[in-house]
Amino acid sequence: MSPLIFPGFRIRKNMTTQYGLPFGLLLFLFQLAAPSSAQPAVTPQIGAPTVVASDDDASRSNNQSAKNESAADATLPAAPITTDPVPAPTMSAADEAGESLPNEPIPESVAADAVTKAAIEAELESTPLEEFDVRARDEVWTISSRHLGSRNAAIESLQFRRRIDGGRWVNESAANFLSPYAGPGKQQTCFLIHGNRTPEMKAIRRGLQTYDQTVLGSRPISTSIRFVIWMWPADQIKGQVRDVRVKAGRADLHAFYLARLITAVQTQEPVAVIGYSFGGRLAIGAMHLMGGGSLCGSRLPNTPVSSPRVNLGLVAPAIRNDCFITTRSQALCPVNRLFLLHNTRDQYLKLYRFLKLDDNTPALGYTGICGMNRSQISSDRIRQFDASQSVGSDHDYLEYLADKRIDALARQNLFSGVASNRTSQVSAPIQVQPMRGGSVRLSQ
């Protein structure tokens, strides 16, 4: 007998032959009425969110193993990640009355929404200069010595300009710049000194980018800031080697102008000075003159400063690595705190010793400080970090500026209005680690 067919079901032949047709039909109907023992469909689990590596992490993973990568990242401490509690929404009196008052826009960084380092760099480079915001209580100036050629030029010979609403610049006098601060609270003055082969407009862009990232960053500085873009004649000239040698001499010459101006600034807050590449050389020369040292056979006529008053930040400085115990031995006298970023992979500074500038001595921005064990200065006033794993082999200021870890370290070490409770991971006690060649690395 052929098996009976029902829509969607089949009576097996052994049911009819073993139990007979009537009993087999009864057993089949009983199975239909019984609860189903089929397993429910399995819902696939939702996997963990995919972590997208940044450009720096991706490049490091292609060049070295994960073990080496973790060890290298310890060179620069990671920036702390904090989550601020979101306050409950409150209703103002104007809202309760059915009225809406417009809020004054708060200036923020042009790269505030950028996440990766590449995105930050793209935002900083593509934003028009007039769109860089400045807080109402801050000031942005440019001071230029590009037209000067004598180390004896007076402060009044410098060109002063101040940025006003709409990104416009107005000429100012030295007297207005040196007048005491009359606003609320305290004001700190910060000088940014650009590097070599930097025309005037590029210098202004780098200055506004630095203000944007450092002052208007994710954790704005509470102190009022007078941000000064210092411009010196660093336009590229014909011949690469000649260009470098000429600019080294110009940096030493223009250090006199900066030293005179900082000495004349009347403020109770430490003056912050940031120097990049040959700008770092210029800044160190100015500190050396302020400390009573001589440069190019001359010194400042006034007496040296009696107490430290400068927070000095050096980014890949192009000067000999033992300058603090040789040619610039008085440079740390006026320095309250020294923050140094060097790069042991910098391809440009790697060749510095072959340019016959400083007795074939390696660059400070390449090796870090050399000979500090023979210096009288206390090591707790000096912090230096090897930024090679964050910056790579490029000699590019923007690479340093767009790195959030470097930005957090710079703001904490240079400015007085940075909250310490939010940067606890980068304010740990400093440890001195010996390095080859007699230099030291101050890490955390």
Side-chain angles (χ1 to χ4, degrees), residues 264-305:
V265 171
Q266 302 178 26
T267 176
Q268 296 180 351
E269 294 296 307
V271 176
V273 178
I274 306 173
Y276 167 67
S277 191
F278 270 131
R281 182 188 187 97
L282 193 155
I284 294 175
M287 299 301 106
H288 179 64
L289 292 169
M290 292 172 59
S294 63
L295 196 62
C296 305
S298 300
R299 64 179 73 241
L300 293 182
N302 58 333
T303 57
V305 294

mmCIF file of all heavy atoms in Angstrom, residues 264-305:
data_model
loop_
_atom_site.group_PDB
_atom_site.id
_atom_site.type_symbol
_atom_site.label_atom_id
_atom_site.label_comp_id
_atom_site.label_asym_id
_atom_site.label_seq_id
_atom_site.Cartn_x
_atom_site.Cartn_y
_atom_site.Cartn_z
ATOM 1 N N ALA A 264 60.775 93.595 28.821
ATOM 2 C CA ALA A 264 59.953 94.786 29.059
ATOM 3 C C ALA A 264 58.500 94.460 29.365
ATOM 4 O O ALA A 264 57.753 95.349 29.793
ATOM 5 C CB ALA A 264 60.018 95.711 27.839
ATOM 6 N N VAL A 265 58.051 93.212 29.146
ATOM 7 C CA VAL A 265 56.656 92.853 29.396
ATOM 8 C C VAL A 265 56.393 92.873 30.892
ATOM 9 O O VAL A 265 57.107 92.237 31.681
ATOM 10 C CB VAL A 265 56.337 91.464 28.804
ATOM 11 C CG1 VAL A 265 54.954 91.002 29.244
ATOM 12 C CG2 VAL A 265 56.423 91.510 27.290
ATOM 13 N N GLN A 266 55.361 93.621 31.303
ATOM 14 C CA GLN A 266 54.994 93.727 32.707
ATOM 15 C C GLN A 266 53.830 92.777 32.992
ATOM 16 O O GLN A 266 52.701 93.021 32.608
ATOM 17 C CB GLN A 266 54.589 95.160 33.050
ATOM 18 C CG GLN A 266 55.664 96.201 32.757
ATOM 19 C CD GLN A 266 55.201 97.600 33.070
ATOM 20 O OE1 GLN A 266 54.333 97.816 33.909
ATOM 21 N NE2 GLN A 266 55.795 98.579 32.383
ATOM 22 N N THR A 267 54.132 91.689 33.669
ATOM 23 C CA THR A 267 53.112 90.704 33.990
ATOM 24 C C THR A 267 53.565 89.903 35.191
ATOM 25 O O THR A 267 54.771 89.697 35.417
ATOM 26 C CB THR A 267 52.849 89.759 32.808
ATOM 27 O OG1 THR A 267 51.898 88.756 33.202
ATOM 28 C CG2 THR A 267 54.125 89.070 32.359
ATOM 29 N N GLN A 268 52.597 89.460 35.987
ATOM 30 C CA GLN A 268 52.884 88.599 37.123
ATOM 31 C C GLN A 268 52.842 87.120 36.745
ATOM 32 O O GLN A 268 53.331 86.283 37.496
ATOM 33 C CB GLN A 268 51.890 88.868 38.250
ATOM 34 C CG GLN A 268 51.978 90.278 38.821
ATOM 35 C CD GLN A 268 50.977 90.510 39.932
ATOM 36 O OE1 GLN A 268 50.104 89.686 40.180
ATOM 37 N NE2 GLN A 268 51.112 91.637 40.608
ATOM 38 N N GLU A 269 52.263 86.814 35.608
ATOM 39 C CA GLU A 269 52.192 85.438 35.146
ATOM 40 C C GLU A 269 53.434 85.104 34.314
ATOM 41 O O GLU A 269 53.979 85.974 33.623
ATOM 42 C CB GLU A 269 50.934 85.224 34.296
ATOM 43 C CG GLU A 269 49.634 85.350 35.075
ATOM 44 C CD GLU A 269 49.498 84.278 36.131
ATOM 45 O OE1 GLU A 269 49.626 83.088 35.786
ATOM 46 O OE2 GLU A 269 49.274 84.621 37.303
ATOM 47 N N PRO A 270 53.899 83.850 34.331
ATOM 48 C CA PRO A 270 55.032 83.469 33.482
ATOM 49 C C PRO A 270 54.702 83.665 32.006
ATOM 50 O O PRO A 270 53.601 83.358 31.554
ATOM 51 C CB PRO A 270 55.250 81.984 33.820
ATOM 52 C CG PRO A 270 54.599 81.784 35.142
ATOM 53 C CD PRO A 270 53.452 82.738 35.188
ATOM 54 N N VAL A 271 55.646 84.200 31.271
ATOM 55 C CA VAL A 271 55.490 84.353 29.835
ATOM 56 C C VAL A 271 55.765 82.990 29.175
ATOM 57 O O VAL A 271 56.768 82.344 29.484
ATOM 58 C CB VAL A 271 56.447 85.418 29.284
ATOM 59 C CG1 VAL A 271 56.358 85.498 27.762
ATOM 60 C CG2 VAL A 271 56.135 86.775 29.901
ATOM 61 N N ALA A 272 54.880 82.556 28.302
ATOM 62 C CA ALA A 272 55.073 81.294 27.590
ATOM 63 C C ALA A 272 55.708 81.587 26.234
ATOM 64 O O ALA A 272 55.263 82.483 25.514
ATOM 65 C CB ALA A 272 53.746 80.568 27.407
ATOM 66 N N VAL A 273 56.733 80.821 25.886
ATOM 67 C CA VAL A 273 57.421 80.969 24.610
ATOM 68 C C VAL A 273 57.497 79.595 23.953
ATOM 69 O O VAL A 273 58.004 78.649 24.558
ATOM 70 C CB VAL A 273 58.840 81.553 24.790
ATOM 71 C CG1 VAL A 273 59.543 81.644 23.441
ATOM 72 C CG2 VAL A 273 58.775 82.929 25.450
ATOM 73 N N ILE A 274 56.985 79.499 22.720
ATOM 74 C CA ILE A 274 57.021 78.255 21.959
ATOM 75 C C ILE A 274 57.872 78.488 20.721
ATOM 76 O O ILE A 274 57.572 79.372 19.914
ATOM 77 C CB ILE A 274 55.606 77.800 21.543
ATOM 78 C CG1 ILE A 274 54.685 77.697 22.764
ATOM 79 C CG2 ILE A 274 55.662 76.469 20.807
ATOM 80 C CD1 ILE A 274 53.236 77.430 22.412
ATOM 81 N N GLY A 275 58.917 77.714 20.565
ATOM 82 C CA GLY A 275 59.797 77.851 19.414
ATOM 83 C C GLY A 275 59.926 76.542 18.668
ATOM 84 O O GLY A 275 60.200 75.503 19.271
ATOM 85 N N TYR A 276 59.716 76.592 17.357
ATOM 86 C CA TYR A 276 59.802 75.396 16.523
ATOM 87 C C TYR A 276 61.021 75.482 15.612
ATOM 88 O O TYR A 276 61.240 76.497 14.943
ATOM 89 C CB TYR A 276 58.534 75.230 15.692
ATOM 90 C CG TYR A 276 58.663 74.197 14.584
ATOM 91 C CD1 TYR A 276 58.808 72.851 14.884
ATOM 92 C CD2 TYR A 276 58.672 74.581 13.250
ATOM 93 C CE1 TYR A 276 58.952 71.903 13.880
ATOM 94 C CE2 TYR A 276 58.815 73.646 12.233
ATOM 95 C CZ TYR A 276 58.960 72.312 12.558
ATOM 96 O OH TYR A 276 59.113 71.378 11.565
ATOM 97 N N SER A 277 61.826 74.418 15.567
ATOM 98 C CA SER A 277 62.980 74.296 14.684
ATOM 99 C C SER A 277 63.945 75.471 14.901
ATOM 100 O O SER A 277 64.431 75.683 16.007
ATOM 101 C CB SER A 277 62.507 74.183 13.233
ATOM 102 O OG SER A 277 63.568 73.819 12.372
ATOM 103 N N PHE A 278 64.195 76.289 13.883
ATOM 104 C CA PHE A 278 65.057 77.451 14.073
ATOM 105 C C PHE A 278 64.393 78.494 14.966
ATOM 106 O O PHE A 278 65.079 79.354 15.537
ATOM 107 C CB PHE A 278 65.432 78.065 12.728
ATOM 108 C CG PHE A 278 66.679 77.488 12.135
ATOM 109 C CD1 PHE A 278 66.718 77.068 10.822
ATOM 110 C CD2 PHE A 278 67.834 77.361 12.889
ATOM 111 C CE1 PHE A 278 67.870 76.533 10.262
ATOM 112 C CE2 PHE A 278 68.994 76.832 12.356
ATOM 113 C CZ PHE A 278 69.013 76.408 11.035
ATOM 114 N N GLY A 279 63.070 78.450 15.082
ATOM 115 C CA GLY A 279 62.396 79.296 16.072
ATOM 116 C C GLY A 279 62.778 78.911 17.488
ATOM 117 O O GLY A 279 62.852 79.761 18.383
ATOM 118 N N GLY A 280 63.030 77.622 17.719
ATOM 119 C CA GLY A 280 63.540 77.190 19.010
ATOM 120 C C GLY A 280 64.943 77.702 19.259
ATOM 121 O O GLY A 280 65.303 78.064 20.387
ATOM 122 N N ARG A 281 65.756 77.744 18.218
ATOM 123 C CA ARG A 281 67.106 78.313 18.338
ATOM 124 C C ARG A 281 67.024 79.796 18.716
ATOM 125 O O ARG A 281 67.779 80.269 19.579
ATOM 126 C CB ARG A 281 67.843 78.148 17.006
ATOM 127 C CG ARG A 281 69.282 78.657 17.020
ATOM 128 C CD ARG A 281 69.888 78.633 15.626
ATOM 129 N NE ARG A 281 71.308 78.959 15.660
ATOM 130 C CZ ARG A 281 72.292 78.068 15.673
ATOM 131 N NH1 ARG A 281 72.004 76.776 15.635
ATOM 132 N NH2 ARG A 281 73.561 78.455 15.721
ATOM 133 N N LEU A 282 66.110 80.512 18.068
ATOM 134 C CA LEU A 282 65.922 81.928 18.379
ATOM 135 C C LEU A 282 65.476 82.108 19.829
ATOM 136 O O LEU A 282 65.972 83.001 20.538
ATOM 137 C CB LEU A 282 64.908 82.525 17.413
ATOM 138 C CG LEU A 282 64.756 84.038 17.338
ATOM 139 C CD1 LEU A 282 64.207 84.442 15.971
ATOM 140 C CD2 LEU A 282 63.837 84.582 18.429
ATOM 141 N N ALA A 283 64.543 81.261 20.284
ATOM 142 C CA ALA A 283 64.033 81.371 21.653
ATOM 143 C C ALA A 283 65.127 81.084 22.675
ATOM 144 O O ALA A 283 65.249 81.789 23.694
ATOM 145 C CB ALA A 283 62.860 80.419 21.841
ATOM 146 N N ILE A 284 65.944 80.055 22.439
ATOM 147 C CA ILE A 284 67.037 79.732 23.363
ATOM 148 C C ILE A 284 68.048 80.869 23.409
ATOM 149 O O ILE A 284 68.564 81.230 24.477
ATOM 150 C CB ILE A 284 67.706 78.411 22.946
ATOM 151 C CG1 ILE A 284 66.729 77.246 23.110
ATOM 152 C CG2 ILE A 284 68.964 78.153 23.775
ATOM 153 C CD1 ILE A 284 67.261 75.920 22.600
ATOM 154 N N GLY A 285 68.316 81.480 22.259
ATOM 155 C CA GLY A 285 69.221 82.623 22.235
ATOM 156 C C GLY A 285 68.694 83.782 23.051
ATOM 157 O O GLY A 285 69.452 84.461 23.774
ATOM 158 N N ALA A 286 67.390 84.039 22.973
ATOM 159 C CA ALA A 286 66.791 85.126 23.751
ATOM 160 C C ALA A 286 66.887 84.834 25.244
ATOM 161 O O ALA A 286 67.177 85.736 26.048
ATOM 162 C CB ALA A 286 65.340 85.331 23.328
ATOM 163 N N MET A 287 66.637 83.598 25.644
ATOM 164 C CA MET A 287 66.751 83.240 27.056
ATOM 165 C C MET A 287 68.192 83.406 27.537
ATOM 166 O O MET A 287 68.439 83.848 28.666
ATOM 167 C CB MET A 287 66.299 81.794 27.274
ATOM 168 C CG MET A 287 64.851 81.500 26.892
ATOM 169 S SD MET A 287 63.631 82.472 27.775
ATOM 170 C CE MET A 287 63.140 83.618 26.476
ATOM 171 N N HIS A 288 69.142 83.037 26.697
ATOM 172 C CA HIS A 288 70.559 83.167 27.047
ATOM 173 C C HIS A 288 70.932 84.635 27.264
ATOM 174 O O HIS A 288 71.654 84.972 28.221
ATOM 175 C CB HIS A 288 71.408 82.556 25.931
ATOM 176 C CG HIS A 288 72.889 82.634 26.145
ATOM 177 N ND1 HIS A 288 73.536 81.986 27.186
ATOM 178 C CD2 HIS A 288 73.859 83.304 25.458
ATOM 179 C CE1 HIS A 288 74.834 82.232 27.114
ATOM 180 N NE2 HIS A 288 75.055 83.034 26.081
ATOM 181 N N LEU A 289 70.432 85.514 26.421
ATOM 182 C CA LEU A 289 70.688 86.939 26.587
ATOM 183 C C LEU A 289 70.007 87.482 27.840
ATOM 184 O O LEU A 289 70.590 88.305 28.563
ATOM 185 C CB LEU A 289 70.200 87.699 25.351
ATOM 186 C CG LEU A 289 70.977 87.447 24.059
ATOM 187 C CD1 LEU A 289 70.236 88.054 22.867
ATOM 188 C CD2 LEU A 289 72.396 88.034 24.150
ATOM 189 N N MET A 290 68.784 87.041 28.103
ATOM 190 C CA MET A 290 68.084 87.484 29.306
ATOM 191 C C MET A 290 68.779 87.006 30.570
ATOM 192 O O MET A 290 68.696 87.658 31.623
ATOM 193 C CB MET A 290 66.641 86.983 29.280
ATOM 194 C CG MET A 290 65.772 87.624 28.219
ATOM 195 S SD MET A 290 64.145 86.849 28.084
ATOM 196 C CE MET A 290 63.500 87.076 29.745
ATOM 197 N N GLY A 291 69.490 85.889 30.482
ATOM 198 C CA GLY A 291 70.211 85.375 31.634
ATOM 199 C C GLY A 291 71.573 85.999 31.830
ATOM 200 O O GLY A 291 72.308 85.621 32.755
ATOM 201 N N GLY A 292 71.936 86.949 30.985
ATOM 202 C CA GLY A 292 73.203 87.635 31.122
ATOM 203 C C GLY A 292 74.296 87.123 30.218
ATOM 204 O O GLY A 292 75.450 87.585 30.311
ATOM 205 N N GLY A 293 73.985 86.161 29.329
ATOM 206 C CA GLY A 293 74.992 85.624 28.429
ATOM 207 C C GLY A 293 75.216 86.507 27.220
ATOM 208 O O GLY A 293 74.465 87.454 26.956
ATOM 209 N N SER A 294 76.249 86.186 26.465
ATOM 210 C CA SER A 294 76.576 86.931 25.242
ATOM 211 C C SER A 294 76.317 86.067 24.031
ATOM 212 O O SER A 294 76.436 84.840 24.083
ATOM 213 C CB SER A 294 78.048 87.365 25.267
ATOM 214 O OG SER A 294 78.898 86.233 25.271
ATOM 215 N N LEU A 295 75.950 86.729 22.941
ATOM 216 C CA LEU A 295 75.617 86.048 21.692
ATOM 217 C C LEU A 295 76.184 86.874 20.547
ATOM 218 O O LEU A 295 75.988 88.091 20.507
ATOM 219 C CB LEU A 295 74.097 85.894 21.564
ATOM 220 C CG LEU A 295 73.571 84.887 20.542
ATOM 221 C CD1 LEU A 295 74.035 83.480 20.874
ATOM 222 C CD2 LEU A 295 72.042 84.925 20.514
ATOM 223 N N CYS A 296 76.896 86.223 19.653
ATOM 224 C CA CYS A 296 77.534 86.923 18.532
ATOM 225 C C CYS A 296 78.467 88.034 19.015
ATOM 226 O O CYS A 296 78.597 89.096 18.382
ATOM 227 C CB CYS A 296 76.485 87.495 17.578
ATOM 228 S SG CYS A 296 75.311 86.288 16.946
ATOM 229 N N GLY A 297 79.055 87.802 20.164
ATOM 230 C CA GLY A 297 79.984 88.779 20.715
ATOM 231 C C GLY A 297 79.343 89.943 21.412
ATOM 232 O O GLY A 297 80.036 90.889 21.793
ATOM 233 N N SER A 298 78.023 89.930 21.619
ATOM 234 C CA SER A 298 77.329 91.048 22.270
ATOM 235 C C SER A 298 76.401 90.508 23.343
ATOM 236 O O SER A 298 76.027 89.333 23.349
ATOM 237 C CB SER A 298 76.533 91.871 21.251
ATOM 238 O OG SER A 298 77.394 92.406 20.254
ATOM 239 N N ARG A 299 76.005 91.390 24.220
ATOM 240 C CA ARG A 299 75.042 91.040 25.264
ATOM 241 C C ARG A 299 74.105 92.225 25.491
ATOM 242 O O ARG A 299 74.378 93.347 25.043
ATOM 243 C CB ARG A 299 75.743 90.649 26.564
ATOM 244 C CG ARG A 299 76.542 91.766 27.195
ATOM 245 C CD ARG A 299 77.214 91.323 28.504
ATOM 246 N NE ARG A 299 78.334 90.426 28.237
ATOM 247 C CZ ARG A 299 78.405 89.174 28.680
ATOM 248 N NH1 ARG A 299 77.408 88.671 29.398
ATOM 249 N NH2 ARG A 299 79.471 88.430 28.415
ATOM 250 N N LEU A 300 72.998 91.989 26.186
ATOM 251 C CA LEU A 300 72.070 93.075 26.479
ATOM 252 C C LEU A 300 72.670 94.018 27.511
ATOM 253 O O LEU A 300 73.334 93.571 28.464
ATOM 254 C CB LEU A 300 70.740 92.512 26.990
ATOM 255 C CG LEU A 300 69.907 91.704 25.989
ATOM 256 C CD1 LEU A 300 68.602 91.259 26.629
ATOM 257 C CD2 LEU A 300 69.617 92.512 24.738
ATOM 258 N N PRO A 301 72.455 95.333 27.351
ATOM 259 C CA PRO A 301 73.054 96.276 28.294
ATOM 260 C C PRO A 301 72.429 96.229 29.676
ATOM 261 O O PRO A 301 73.067 96.593 30.657
ATOM 262 C CB PRO A 301 72.812 97.636 27.625
ATOM 263 C CG PRO A 301 71.612 97.421 26.753
ATOM 264 C CD PRO A 301 71.703 96.006 26.280
ATOM 265 N N ASN A 302 71.164 95.782 29.781
ATOM 266 C CA ASN A 302 70.513 95.776 31.079
ATOM 267 C C ASN A 302 70.978 94.575 31.896
ATOM 268 O O ASN A 302 71.581 93.632 31.388
ATOM 269 C CB ASN A 302 68.986 95.750 30.914
ATOM 270 C CG ASN A 302 68.530 94.547 30.118
ATOM 271 O OD1 ASN A 302 69.273 94.028 29.291
ATOM 272 N ND2 ASN A 302 67.313 94.107 30.353
ATOM 273 N N THR A 303 70.681 94.611 33.161
ATOM 274 C CA THR A 303 71.067 93.519 34.046
ATOM 275 C C THR A 303 70.208 92.293 33.758
ATOM 276 O O THR A 303 69.046 92.402 33.352
ATOM 277 C CB THR A 303 70.889 93.931 35.512
ATOM 278 O OG1 THR A 303 69.533 94.327 35.724
ATOM 279 C CG2 THR A 303 71.813 95.081 35.856
ATOM 280 N N PRO A 304 70.727 91.074 33.994
ATOM 281 C CA PRO A 304 69.935 89.872 33.736
ATOM 282 C C PRO A 304 68.759 89.771 34.695
ATOM 283 O O PRO A 304 68.745 90.374 35.770
ATOM 284 C CB PRO A 304 70.945 88.743 33.961
ATOM 285 C CG PRO A 304 72.004 89.330 34.838
ATOM 286 C CD PRO A 304 72.087 90.771 34.451
ATOM 287 N N VAL A 305 67.746 89.017 34.288
ATOM 288 C CA VAL A 305 66.557 88.849 35.122
ATOM 289 C C VAL A 305 66.953 88.154 36.417
ATOM 290 O O VAL A 305 67.836 87.296 36.454
ATOM 291 C CB VAL A 305 65.487 88.032 34.374
ATOM 292 C CG1 VAL A 305 64.973 88.798 33.186
ATOM 293 C CG2 VAL A 305 66.036 86.676 33.945
#
